[in-house]
Amino acid sequence: MTSHIDGIQIWMLAPELSVVLLGFLVLGLDLITHNRRVVAATALIGLLIPLGFTLSLVVKQDALTPDHTAFFHMLVVDGYALFFQFLFLVIGFGVLLVSYGYVEKFLRVTIGEYYSIILLSLAGMMLMASTGELISVYISLELTSIPLYILAGLSRSDTRSAEAAVKYVLLGAMSSAILLYGMALLYGATGTTDLTEIARNTQAALSSGNLVLLAADVFIFTGFGFKISAVPFHMWAPDIYEGAPTPSTLFFSVGSKAAGFAALLRVFIFGGLAAISGGTYLWVMVAIVAAVTMTLGNVVALLQTNIKRMMAYSSIGQAGYLLVGFAAIMISNSPAGNLGILAFLAVYVVTNIGAFTGIIGLADATGKENIRDFDGLGRRAPFIAAGMGLCLLSLAGIPPMAGFWGKLFILLTAWNQGSALTWLVVLGLINSAISIVYYANVVWRMFVAEPEKRDRLAMSGSVTLTMAVAVVGILALTIAFGFLLTGLGGGAGGLFPTATTP
Amino acid sequence: MITLNHFLVLGAVLFVIGLFGALSKRNAVAILMSIEIMLNAVNVTLVAFASAILNHGGKALNGATVDSSRLTGQIFAVFIITVAAAEASVALAMIIAIYRRRNTIDVGEINLMRW
């Protein structure tokens, strides 16, 4: 560990730094010029700078500090962190692009304000994947969350939006407090907040079966459980997804969830907490949470009439599948489970952006967001409906689509852990069958049901462009899923330094 | 003699009081105050651990030894106080926004959306 800060360390932080600076630039530009197109173009083209820094870090991995850490272990830029940085930049690009028309029409804020809030939150998300220290995990979590609270309440003309924001900020602050109590116990038990040292110290305490460590694990899992909307900490998700402006909902459903999983895996695997769970049966808790999460999410989604609420329960169900992979990690401390989660998240992000683009498109054109408003969308806006249908089928896990491979791979990983998780895999398959009903219902309405009006809907350019990008992305992921797994292999396994060095 | 255990019990009791308040209060500002109690319980726990580790020559609960000159626990507490202030300001802004629209901050009545 170097004792001073040099250029290489600044370079390792450059993707996040440039996103923050871009956020300020967009906000400032909004004051000077009132041209919305200029501001939006600056934000979208500006995102290429952090992307370039991330790619340069990927290519030049050997030129980094030897253990890939910077700023006294505060920052860890390994393959895992770089994967998530790339994923979050994709999310940022998608959300910025698709919200262009919506912000002008429905929100009383300027485009620069909206974009800068999203960019600041994005920087927090990128940091959540690449922190190696409990204090910086907490700071980046709050850097992510506080802009998200504001995004939920931005629609000032809608009472539901204010209600969503109040619920989100109170439950979010409470979950942070629970997470912090777990971190405090972990600090007391191991004497440090550095995840590498925690991994070393927990290994030393493994034989004594320290109860404080176990309590810390439970509190930390609970705190992150709120962020990834796992049952029984999911109550906030449907209300906030419904009440928030739709582009913000998209950002919560992909960004907040991916960031929650990124930090959860970082703390549990890199911090060595998963390594001690096999003997303590902590995995039983995770497996039960996974089972309840996917069952409740998928069953309650069947009953919804509002499309955003349905997508909220659908995203709870998807979190359940991801937790199956996490249970597989907890039981055996195996990189295969981590690989499954990363691949599933990549597919989930692209498909969910596509599905929400369809919802935003309809809301843009008609202001409606009920499931029955999708009747006959296939004739009123063929391209948007086709793209959205493709994404919904992928979310349901219909065979040739990428979503199917992601789900298959995660369930196979759990299956390979032996008989302990067999019941969870069977439950996952049953849930997958249930989920086809409500996803296919929307597709059926779009292409078979008779619409009330037959007029063509004019879709804005930003919505059409986002949908085109999402469709290309989902097709590419479907064809090249095998390559995705190979490419992610290093990043997923690299998070397990503790397995080799006791 | 006040030992580490006394501080830890104080922290745990404060945390439970805060959690109970956050879950049972109906006034949004009272919920926010309960959350602040939870955060301060965390601060008490952190500072107690930090001072105990310092007094035992860098020995943590599980017997691992760390550099005893570090003040990680206290620094963590300072960060929590700072971020909690930012969070509280956003939360109060949201509560004012809902009060203007609904004329109430009773979370039992803020229920346009359910199931």
Side-chain angles (χ1 to χ4, degrees):
Chain A
M1 186 167 76
T2 46
S3 58
H4 62 282
I5 292 167
D6 52 21
I8 291 181
Q9 300 191 13
I10 304 278
W11 172 45
M12 288 164 76
L13 190 61
E16 288 89 355
L17 274 182
S18 52
V19 172
V20 172
L21 290 178
L22 183 65
F24 290 141
L25 175 72
V26 168
L27 192 60
L29 203 63
D30 196 50
L31 283 175
I32 301 165
T33 159
H34 291 289
N35 191 334
R36 301 178 71 246
R37 284 174 184 280
V38 173
V39 176
T42 312
L44 287 170
I45 296 168
L47 269 185
L48 292 176
I49 299 168
L51 187 67
F53 278 125
T54 302
L55 289 179
S56 79
L57 287 168
V58 173
V59 174
K60 291 260 183 188
Q61 285 208 42
D62 297 334
L64 305 182
T65 49
D67 53 356
H68 286 208
T69 63
F71 301 110
F72 314 102
H73 289 196
M74 284 272 171
L75 193 71
V76 184
V77 185
D78 49 11
Y80 175 82
L82 290 171
F83 162 75
F84 271 105
Q85 287 182 8
F86 185 72
L87 192 67
F88 289 131
L89 287 171
V90 170
I91 291 172
F93 188 81
V95 173
L96 292 188
L97 189 60
V98 79
S99 50
Y100 180 73
Y102 189 95
V103 173
E104 184 182 28
K105 218 163 181 177
F106 294 101
L107 302 182
R108 280 188 302 172
V109 294
T110 64
I111 196 87
E113 287 168 338
Y114 191 80
Y115 277 14
S116 62
I117 297 171
I118 285 184
L119 286 170
L120 289 176
S121 183
L122 199 66
M125 289 172 183
M126 289 166 74
L127 279 171
M128 270 172 87
S130 51
T131 48
E133 223 265 350
L134 290 182
I135 301 179
S136 51
V137 168
Y138 171 62
I139 300 293
S140 47
L141 180 79
E142 292 299 329
L143 179 58
T144 308
S145 299
I146 292 177
L148 288 183
Y149 305 147
I150 299 169
L151 280 178
L154 265 186
S155 180
R156 275 177 288 180
S157 54
D158 186 354
T159 313
R160 289 183 309 166
S161 177
E163 180 181 330
V166 170
K167 286 180 178 170
Y168 198 14
V169 74
L170 291 178
L171 285 169
M174 192 172 81
S175 70
S176 297
I178 294 173
L179 178 73
L180 278 172
Y181 196 65
M183 286 179 174
L185 292 180
L186 192 59
Y187 165 70
T190 60
T192 174
T193 53
D194 184 339
L195 289 176
T196 332
E197 278 183 49
I198 288 176
R200 206 160 44 228
N201 291 355
T202 47
Q203 295 261 321
L206 187 52
S207 51
S208 59
N210 201 323
L211 272 179
V212 176
L213 269 184
L214 199 60
D217 278 14
V218 174
F219 277 114
I220 291 176
F221 181 70
T222 308
F224 282 124
F226 272 97
K227 307 288 173 198
I228 60 177
S229 63
V231 178
F233 322 114
H234 68 288
M235 325 72 88
W236 61 273
D239 287 359
I240 286 148
Y241 280 33
E242 185 188 341
T246 316
S248 306
T249 307
L250 166 63
F251 198 43
F252 303 153
S253 75
V254 290
S256 175
K257 187 155 296 195
F261 268 101
L264 177 72
L265 294 175
R266 172 68 78 187
V267 172
F268 269 80
I269 301 175
F270 194 73
L273 298 183
I276 61 162
S277 73
T280 54
Y281 292 99
L282 202 62
W283 64 268
V284 178
M285 178 188 77
V286 176
I288 291 173
V289 169
V292 181
T293 303
M294 55 187 179
T295 311
L296 188 132
N298 283 317
V299 171
V300 181
L302 287 173
L303 309 171
Q304 301 306 318
T305 54
N306 181 300
I307 187 90
K308 281 158 82 181
R309 229 172 156 74
M310 187 199 94
M311 289 305 287
Y313 281 105
S314 133
S315 89
I316 293 172
Q318 305 280 344
Y321 301 129
L322 286 160
L323 282 172
V324 172
F326 187 54
I329 296 174
M330 293 295 272
I331 201 169
S332 67
N333 203 23
S334 74
N338 195 17
L339 180 58
I341 290 181
L342 297 194
F344 191 98
L345 266 178
V347 174
Y348 169 77
V349 161
V350 177
T351 45
N352 232 30
I353 288 178
F356 266 99
T357 304
I359 299 172
I360 294 169
L362 184 75
D364 257 359
T366 65
K368 291 180 179 166
E369 54 185 41
N370 283 320
I371 294 176
R372 63 164 190 279
D373 298 324
F374 282 84
D375 281 1
L377 192 70
R379 263 172 267 170
R380 300 174 73 190
F383 175 67
I384 297 294
M388 187 178 168
L390 204 63
C391 291
L392 287 176
L393 293 181
S394 174
L395 279 173
I398 303 286
M401 305 301 299
F404 167 74
W405 297 112
K407 212 177 278 184
L408 183 72
F409 191 75
I410 245 177
L411 292 179
L412 268 181
T413 318
W415 182 266
N416 289 337
Q417 303 306 321
S419 54
L421 288 181
T422 308
W423 61 279
L424 199 57
V425 175
V426 173
L427 197 64
L429 290 174
I430 295 172
N431 267 298
S432 200
I434 295 173
S435 73
I436 292 174
V437 176
Y438 62 84
Y439 289 123
N441 174 37
V442 179
V443 177
W444 184 84
R445 280 179 177 279
M446 285 195 297
F447 291 101
V448 184
E450 282 296 317
E452 280 176 23
K453 286 187 233 160
R454 292 178 165 278
D455 58 325
R456 281 291 285 241
L457 293 179
M459 289 292 168
S460 66
S462 63
V463 167
T464 313
L465 189 58
T466 319
M467 186 57 97
V469 173
V471 167
V472 170
I474 184 95
L475 291 179
L477 283 174
T478 304
I479 295 162
F481 193 76
F483 292 108
L484 179 69
L485 287 182
T486 333
L488 288 178
L495 203 57
F496 288 84
T498 54
T500 48
T501 52
Chain B
M1 173 68 186
I2 298 176
T3 61
L4 171 65
N5 288 347
H6 292 91
F7 287 109
L8 292 189
V9 169
L10 172 69
V13 168
L14 272 179
F15 186 80
V16 172
I17 290 173
L19 188 62
F20 179 77
L23 294 175
S24 65
K25 288 284 175 191
R26 293 167 65 84
N27 184 312
V29 176
I31 293 176
L32 193 62
M33 286 163 68
S34 304
I35 292 168
E36 296 294 322
I37 294 178
M38 289 167 80
L39 289 172
N40 282 319
V42 173
N43 287 340
V44 168
T45 312
L46 274 173
V47 174
F49 273 134
S51 122
I53 290 168
L54 193 69
N55 290 337
H56 291 87
K59 234 176 164 40
L61 275 191
N62 69 353
T65 327
V66 293
D67 181 1
S68 64
S69 65
R70 285 194 207 160
L71 292 169
T72 322
Q74 281 94 333
I75 292 168
F76 205 159
V78 170
F79 271 109
I80 291 174
I81 292 167
T82 317
V83 176
E87 208 162 41
S89 67
V90 172
L92 285 173
M94 299 301 175
I95 292 171
I96 291 171
I98 194 99
Y99 182 74
R100 281 192 183 150
R101 302 205 66 82
R102 301 286 305 275
N103 253 331
T104 176
I105 52 168
D106 185 329
V107 289
E109 289 173 31
I110 305 175
N111 57 0
L112 284 178
M113 297 172 285
R114 33 180 58 169
W115 283 97

